[in-house]
Amino acid sequence: MIIRWEHEHDYLLVHLHQDMLGDWVLSRAWGQKGTRFGGLRHDVAENREQALTWINDLDHIQRSRGFHKVLETSEESSEGQQALKLIEDLEGA
């Protein structure tokens, strides 16, 4: 699952996935569109339900800050692949 929120020049991108050990990982990338300013964080959830609760909390927080959801897709889609590339680029920076 990949979700992206945007507000003016800022974005937040989250990616929920299972790692090779079966743990549920919530990766967050944030920053300013068109720049390399931003950050990246990975959190391991106890289970998928906890990770989904985190995503619901993030949605509420982002909407209260004026952000709008612009993408919700799977990592297999072309939009999902582009979003994952952003995370990979931030990890390499």
Side-chain angles (χ1 to χ4, degrees), residues 2-6 10-15 28-40 42 71 79-93:
I2 297 172
I3 304 172
R4 181 179 172 111
W5 293 267
E6 293 182 358
D10 299 323
Y11 70 88
L12 172 65
L13 176 72
V14 298
H15 176 214
R28 300 177 223 186
W30 63 88
Q32 296 176 344
K33 293 185 265 185
T35 72
R36 300 209 40 92
F37 297 113
L40 182 64
H42 304 285
L71 175 69
E79 296 92 352
Q81 290 298 310
Q82 291 173 350
L84 291 177
K85 175 100 172 75
L86 173 65
I87 293 174
E88 290 171 6
D89 290 347
L90 286 171
E91 286 179 330

Side-chain angles (χ1 to χ4, degrees), residues 41-61:
R41 176 178 173 167
H42 304 285
D43 292 303
V44 178
E46 292 181 18
N47 52 47
R48 187 173 192 274
E49 290 73 28
Q50 181 183 37
L52 292 174
T53 298
W54 291 346
I55 290 173
N56 286 333
D57 291 346
L58 286 170
D59 184 60
H60 177 75
I61 291 166

Side-chain angles (χ1 to χ4, degrees), residues 9-34:
H9 300 290
D10 299 323
Y11 70 88
L12 172 65
L13 176 72
V14 298
H15 176 214
L16 176 61
H17 61 281
Q18 277 188 292
D19 65 11
M20 294 186 329
L21 302 174
D23 292 325
W24 286 97
V25 179
L26 183 65
S27 299
R28 300 177 223 186
W30 63 88
Q32 296 176 344
K33 293 185 265 185

Side-chain angles (χ1 to χ4, degrees), residues 58-70:
L58 286 170
D59 184 60
H60 177 75
I61 291 166
Q62 295 313 307
R63 289 177 188 275
S64 72
R65 293 178 176 168
F67 281 68
H68 302 282
K69 190 185 294 184
V70 296

